């Protein structure tokens, strides 16, 4: 692993030349003289001796034939890189293929070292991270948190001069923590700012980046073609929309209005207040009431018309109504209840797995581009893309949720045409859920009441401050948090034998922003997954307790914001295992909705135990395997998705017209149970201990 971990030094300080020290000045990469760029080759010997004197570790790099990097020549090293731009995506796929094709780690280190100072840093970081995660000899290497490498994509740039001053003037032991102010993108005169804590949460945006890192849309087939990838694209983004709507109801805002009419002006404005560190240019803002326009970007060959989006959408909807899509040979591929949603996910995104990109286009990706370039669609003002053009920043913008609301409507069109689940598909004979509720882990707290509040946490940004200070430089940020709690489910097993089941716990709002009760037809769209786990049911009564930090959706703070550098890497084997692939997952601090002050907000909690013999996937399971704990959104590494049921089951399909309330849905099925819980929000800030 030592050789493999050497690759991590290439990820630090992405804009600095590779020969500069890494790991707080303790590590130096011995760059061969002929690997230096034209600017530094004439003074290579002086540079190597000047910057390597105090190094505790030297990483040798073998000399090899320089790789052909012409596929990335059109991407400016100091410009932006976007996975939504086709040229950029193709370059990333080629670079991933190059890195994965290297026969061993020393050769990979050589090729990556040569490439690093010649390529766009975000392109390089993305491709190397994907390659590390998918090569068998490097897949256990920890990929550092992107916020520590590219803080400009997550953090108010006003703090960077303060961080550099603190790091340059003050010794490490005496450095102050620099505070990132909350709600810095707009005033409270803008009602959408009530949701800034969700949209601009660092952990939420890092989750979106890491998911796309684990599930790249282009690249070698072995990297892209993962089990149920298209379905997971649908489900993860659908859950994002559901969670966002839950937060909107808590803040007395109406549900997301899907961006169905692509011709009407967009009333939502967004000014991100962010600066791209690679070229010190700001992410452009978007004024209110601007309409989408045809894009003709000569800088990166992104050419797409609004009419293209409408035509692709209509063709996909027509295919859904017909029950099949056409591949490039004109062969019909049925959209059945087993694989239909997976195929649609590949088409809508569209990934390299799409069966016919020429016919169905690239609706999701090009939609991001049309919105991202709304301020300068023909490159007249030499402006780069807005936040919607980058997976690390897209979720900050309110329009992200409107655009994905439209994408979700297309998926729902397919789901709503499926036959409602039958009694046999929902039931588990002999198993009864008698109650479900929650309980804070603190003593003497009332049942079924959860508490949320603000928390101030810290993140080390030193590894992303190019040409900045050595040592740690911390910034503090304020985010939503909830008090730890437990799910408690009472289950009776009357079969007379030990049975295994799958416990599924969901949460949904009872009322909308006006306090009007939601019908089940409406409420079904807003259920958010809390936890899915395998349980053993002994004959008779069973009390199942699941801690909130055991959720199959989330990862803990320590893995969301893991630091970079030798001093931060755990030495304990178990801790190190948790440090590896496990950055993919919804942040634990955002597991439950914010609720409200006073009496709080009431939610329906739903629990269901389904038959494990039907749910089980035939594969070897390791209950102690690292990073298997956020499988609901991220799947299992190098394995099949661990549930044969459709993602979102049992709420992914419509029901009979006679089902008007949640109780109507639950009553015929003894293996389901519901309860009412309340989330109270305390407008106080508590520092993380």
């Amino acid at each position: 692993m030592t050789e493999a971990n050497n690759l991590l030094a290439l990820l630090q300080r992405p804009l600095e030349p590779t020969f500069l020290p890494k790991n707080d000045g303790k590590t130096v990469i011995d760059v061969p003289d002929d690997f230096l760029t034209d600017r530094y080759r004439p003074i290579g010997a002086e540079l190597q001796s000047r910057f390597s004197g105090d190094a505790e570790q030297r990483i040798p790099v073998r000399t090899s034939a320089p790789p052909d990097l012409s596929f990335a020549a059109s991407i400016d090293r100091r410009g932006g890189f976007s996975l939504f731009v086709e040229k950029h995506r193709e370059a990333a796929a080629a670079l991933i293929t190059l890195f994965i094709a290297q026969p061993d780690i020393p050769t990979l280190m050589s090729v990556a070292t040569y490439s690093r100072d010649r390529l766009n840093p975000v392109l390089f970081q993305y491709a190397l991270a994907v390659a590390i995660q998918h090569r068998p000899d490097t897949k256990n290497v920890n990929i550092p948190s992107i916020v520590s490498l590219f803080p400009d994509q997550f953090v108010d740039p006003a703090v960077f001069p303060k961080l550099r001053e603190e790091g340059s003037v003050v010794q490490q032991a005496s450095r102050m923590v620099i505070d990132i102010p909350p709600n810095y993108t707009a005033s409270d005169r803008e009602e959408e700012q009530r949701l800034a804590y969700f949209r601009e949460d660092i952990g939420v945006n890092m989750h979106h980046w890491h998911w796309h890192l684990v599930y790249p849309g282009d690249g070698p087939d072995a990297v892209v073609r993962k089990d149920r990838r298209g379905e997971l694209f649908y489900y993860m983004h659908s859950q994002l929309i559901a969670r966002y709507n839950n937060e909107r109801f808590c803040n007395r805002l109406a549900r997301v209005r899907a961006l169905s009419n692509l011709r009407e002006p967009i009333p939502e404005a967004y000014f991100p207040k962010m600066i791209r560190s690679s070229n010190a240019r700001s992410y452009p803002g978007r004024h209110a009431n601007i309409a989408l326009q045809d894009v003709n970007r000569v800088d990166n060959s992104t050419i797409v018309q609004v009419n293209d989006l409408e035509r692709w959408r209509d063709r996909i909807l027509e295919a859904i109504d017909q029950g099949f899509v056409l591949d490039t040979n004109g062969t019909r591929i049925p959209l059945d209840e087993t694989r239909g949603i997976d195929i649609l996910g590949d088409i809508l995104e569209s990934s390299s797995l799409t069966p016919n990109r020429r016919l169905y286009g690239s609706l999701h990706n090009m939609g991001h581009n049309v919105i991202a370039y709304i301020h300068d669609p023909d490159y007249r003002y030499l402006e780069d893309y807005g936040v919607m053009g980058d997976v690390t920043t897209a979720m900050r913008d309110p329009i992200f949720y409107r655009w994905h609301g439209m994408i979700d409507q297309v998926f729902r069109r397919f789901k709503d045409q499926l036959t409602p689940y039958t009694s046999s598909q929902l039931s588990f004979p002999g198993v009864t859920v008698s109650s479900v509720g929650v309980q804070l882990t603190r003593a003497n707290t009332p049942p079924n009441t959860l508490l949320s509040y603000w928390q101030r946490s810290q993140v080390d940004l030193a590894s992303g401050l190019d040409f900045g200070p050595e040592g740690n430089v911390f910034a503090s940020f304020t985010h939503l948090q909830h008090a730890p709690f437990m799910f408690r489910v009472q289950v009776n097993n009357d079969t007379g034998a030990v049975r295994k089941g799958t416990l599924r716990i969901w949460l949904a709002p009872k009322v909308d922003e006006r306090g009007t009760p939601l019908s089940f037809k409406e409420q079904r769209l807003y259920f958010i997954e809390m936890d899915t786990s395998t349980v053993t049911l002994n004959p008779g009564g069973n009390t199942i307790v699941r801690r909130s930090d055991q959720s199959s959706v989330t990862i803990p703070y320590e893995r969301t914001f893991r630091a970079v550098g030798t001093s931060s890497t755990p030495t304990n084997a178990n801790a190190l295992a948790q440090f590896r692939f496990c950055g993919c997952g919804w942040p634990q601090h955002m597991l439950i909705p914010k609720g409200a002050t006073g009496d709080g907000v009431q939610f329906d909690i739903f629990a269901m135990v389904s038959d494990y013999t039907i749910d089980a996937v035939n594969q070897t399971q390791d209950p102690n395997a690292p990073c298997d704990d956020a499988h609901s959104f991220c799947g299992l590494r190098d394995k099949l998705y661990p549930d044969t049921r459709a993602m979102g089951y049992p709420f992914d399909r419509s029901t009979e017209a006679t089902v008007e309330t949640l109780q109507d849905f639950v009553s015929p099925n003894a293996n389901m149970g519901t309860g009412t819980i309340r989330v109270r929000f305390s407008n106080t800030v508590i520092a993380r201990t």
Side-chain angles (χ1 to χ4, degrees):
M1 283 298 296
T2 302
E3 277 191 334
N5 280 318
N6 287 343
L7 294 165
L8 295 179
L10 294 173
L11 297 178
Q12 297 182 40
R13 304 255 179 143
L15 290 172
E16 289 184 357
T18 305
F19 56 76
L20 287 180
K22 308 294 186 288
N23 288 338
D24 300 341
K26 299 175 183 176
T27 300
V28 166
I29 300 173
D30 287 328
V31 181
D33 286 346
D34 54 350
F35 276 25
L36 295 173
T37 60
D38 293 343
R39 172 67 185 91
Y40 296 118
R41 192 176 297 123
I43 54 174
E46 175 195 341
L47 293 172
Q48 300 280 14
S49 60
R50 176 179 163 196
F51 290 111
S52 62
D54 298 329
E56 298 176 8
Q57 177 193 14
R58 305 187 72 94
I59 300 176
V61 177
R62 67 167 60 154
T63 301
S64 60
D68 179 10
L69 302 177
S70 58
F71 56 81
S74 63
I75 305 176
D76 186 4
R77 171 162 166 73
R78 289 289 183 172
F81 167 78
S82 170
L83 288 173
F84 299 120
V85 174
E86 189 167 348
K87 241 185 182 180
H88 293 191
R89 204 164 59 248
E90 290 172 353
L95 190 57
I96 293 168
T97 301
L98 174 67
F99 288 157
I100 288 182
Q102 301 313 306
D104 50 43
I105 293 173
T107 309
L108 173 61
M109 185 74 190
S110 174
V111 170
T113 299
Y114 179 86
S115 304
R116 185 182 186 275
D117 291 339
R118 291 167 171 81
L119 297 176
N120 179 279
V122 185
L123 163 64
F124 174 83
Q125 296 263 346
Y126 170 76
L128 183 58
V130 172
I132 287 173
Q133 294 219 329
H134 291 88
R135 285 178 60 103
D137 55 357
T138 60
K139 66 180 182 179
N140 288 329
V141 173
N142 161 49
I143 299 298
S145 157
I146 191 174
V147 70
S148 60
L149 301 177
F150 292 101
D152 56 299
Q153 297 176 10
F154 301 91
V155 173
D156 178 6
V159 305
F160 294 146
K162 301 175 185 176
L163 288 168
R164 286 194 169 91
E165 178 182 353
E166 190 72 18
S168 300
V169 176
V170 182
Q171 294 295 317
Q172 181 169 329
S174 304
R175 289 174 185 168
M176 294 177 57
V177 176
I178 305 301
D179 188 47
I180 303 169
N183 293 339
Y184 59 87
T185 50
S187 71
D188 57 8
R189 296 176 61 187
E190 170 54 54
E191 68 173 16
E192 291 294 332
Q193 196 65 9
R194 298 181 208 170
L195 271 296
Y197 69 89
F198 182 97
R199 291 184 286 99
E200 296 173 3
D201 182 84
I202 295 176
V204 164
N205 284 275
M206 286 173 59
H207 157 74
H208 192 232
W209 166 79
H210 208 117
W211 189 94
H212 283 277
L213 184 74
V214 175
Y215 292 95
D218 288 271
D221 194 69
V223 171
V224 180
R225 195 176 295 278
K226 294 186 175 74
D227 183 49
R228 298 170 69 177
R229 184 203 184 283
E231 183 179 8
L232 200 51
F233 172 82
Y234 142 71
Y235 180 61
M236 189 277 288
H237 287 90
S238 182
Q239 280 286 287
L240 293 185
I241 302 301
R243 287 181 171 273
Y244 189 63
N245 276 313
N246 272 266
E247 300 291 346
R248 293 184 71 85
F249 292 157
C250 289
N251 287 275
R252 301 294 185 187
L253 291 176
R255 69 203 75 191
V256 170
R257 187 168 65 90
L259 194 63
S260 301
N261 185 345
L262 303 183
R263 302 289 177 171
E264 67 179 11
I266 298 172
E268 296 88 356
Y270 186 65
F271 295 88
K273 312 288 192 300
M274 299 174 69
I275 295 176
R276 189 176 286 110
S277 61
S278 59
N279 57 11
R281 300 281 291 274
S282 62
Y283 280 83
R286 183 183 65 255
H287 290 273
N289 298 312
I290 299 180
L292 298 179
Q293 301 178 64
D294 298 343
V295 172
N296 184 12
R297 297 283 300 199
V298 296
D299 55 321
N300 56 31
S301 302
T302 299
I303 301 172
V304 58
Q305 298 178 353
V306 177
N307 183 56
D308 292 330
L309 302 181
E310 295 170 328
R311 185 172 64 255
W312 295 334
R313 179 194 60 194
D314 293 344
R315 286 176 179 173
I316 296 170
L317 291 173
E318 181 182 27
I320 291 171
D321 292 342
Q322 291 176 333
F324 62 85
V325 296
L326 298 174
D327 67 13
T328 53
N329 296 319
T331 303
R332 293 184 177 186
I333 303 174
L335 297 176
D336 56 34
E337 65 178 42
T338 303
R339 288 212 56 232
I341 194 71
D342 195 44
I343 294 168
L344 285 172
D346 294 334
I347 289 174
L348 272 162
E349 185 180 8
S350 67
S351 73
S352 60
L353 305 181
T354 178
N356 196 336
R357 185 172 289 172
R358 182 174 181 180
L359 180 62
Y360 301 112
S362 181
L363 179 60
H364 165 262
N365 292 340
M366 284 304 182
H368 269 267
N369 283 330
V370 171
I371 298 171
Y373 290 120
I374 194 172
H375 55 283
D376 190 12
D378 59 2
Y379 203 45
R380 180 172 310 196
Y381 304 107
L382 308 182
E383 285 287 324
D384 216 329
Y385 54 79
V387 293
M388 274 290 281
D390 193 328
V391 293
T392 58
T393 56
M395 288 187 65
R396 302 171 65 89
D397 192 331
I399 201 64
F400 172 91
Y401 304 90
R402 294 195 60 200
W403 174 244
H404 271 274
M406 188 279 289
I407 297 292
D408 195 54
Q409 282 185 343
V410 177
F411 283 121
R412 296 286 183 179
R413 173 81 157 256
F414 168 75
K415 283 286 188 176
D416 288 346
Q417 292 185 10
L418 298 178
T419 304
Y421 286 118
T422 63
S423 175
S424 62
Q425 290 174 308
L426 295 173
S427 65
F428 190 0
V431 173
T432 302
V433 173
S434 55
S435 69
V436 54
V438 295
Q439 178 70 58
L440 294 178
T441 55
R442 294 186 308 188
N444 302 318
T445 53
N448 296 324
T449 298
L450 300 181
L451 177 64
S452 65
Y453 51 89
W454 301 123
Q455 184 168 67
R456 183 173 290 117
S457 299
Q458 297 180 8
V459 61
D460 184 3
L461 300 181
S463 294
L465 294 177
D466 298 280
F467 307 103
E470 299 294 346
N472 300 327
V473 184
F474 286 96
S476 66
F477 59 100
T478 302
H479 58 88
L480 188 66
Q481 183 59 285
H482 60 82
F485 65 93
M486 299 176 293
F487 299 104
R488 189 181 299 271
V489 185
Q490 297 287 344
V491 183
N492 292 320
N493 173 11
D494 299 325
T495 65
V498 176
R499 301 294 300 272
K500 288 186 74 173
T502 304
L503 174 62
R504 306 169 190 273
I505 303 175
W506 295 79
L507 201 68
K510 281 179 170 290
V511 299
D512 64 12
E513 79 283 0
R514 298 167 298 165
T516 304
L518 296 168
S519 68
F520 183 70
K521 183 178 180 181
E522 297 172 304
Q523 188 186 40
R524 184 175 64 83
L525 305 178
Y526 307 130
F527 270 93
I528 55 176
E529 183 178 348
M530 291 284 104
D531 186 36
T532 299
S533 62
T534 302
V535 294
T536 299
L537 304 175
N538 295 313
N542 296 262
T543 300
I544 303 171
V545 176
R546 290 278 295 178
R547 299 192 316 270
S548 55
D549 62 3
Q550 292 177 305
S551 168
S552 63
V553 176
T554 63
I555 57 174
Y557 170 88
E558 292 75 18
R559 276 160 48 202
T560 296
F561 297 99
R562 53 193 173 183
V564 181
T566 53
S567 62
S568 306
T569 304
T571 55
N572 175 272
N574 291 333
L576 182 60
Q578 292 297 315
F579 223 65
R580 292 170 179 166
F581 164 80
C582 314
C584 183
W586 188 249
Q588 170 64 212
H589 62 266
M590 299 295 285
L591 175 61
I592 65 170
K594 177 183 175 183
T597 56
D599 292 335
V601 176
Q602 288 189 337
F603 294 87
D604 280 321
I605 187 170
F606 169 93
M608 172 187 188
V609 180
S610 55
D611 189 343
Y612 180 77
T613 61
I614 299 175
D615 307 333
V617 175
N618 185 20
Q619 64 182 343
T620 303
Q621 296 278 11
D622 180 2
N624 298 315
C627 67
D628 282 2
D629 52 348
H631 62 76
S632 291
F633 284 2
C634 298
L636 299 181
R637 182 168 187 170
D638 301 329
K639 292 184 179 180
L640 303 178
Y641 192 82
D643 192 349
T644 62
R645 308 279 190 174
M647 297 179 197
Y649 168 86
F651 299 113
D652 61 307
R653 296 192 192 181
S654 60
T655 57
E656 301 290 352
T658 54
V659 179
E660 297 181 355
T661 66
L662 177 60
Q663 197 57 45
D664 291 340
F665 181 69
V666 170
S667 294
N669 303 291
N671 60 318
M672 300 179 184
T674 64
T676 298
I677 71 169
R678 187 183 304 271
V679 181
R680 286 197 172 102
F681 171 69
S682 176
N683 193 22
T684 56
V685 180
I686 299 176
R688 179 179 295 276
T689 56

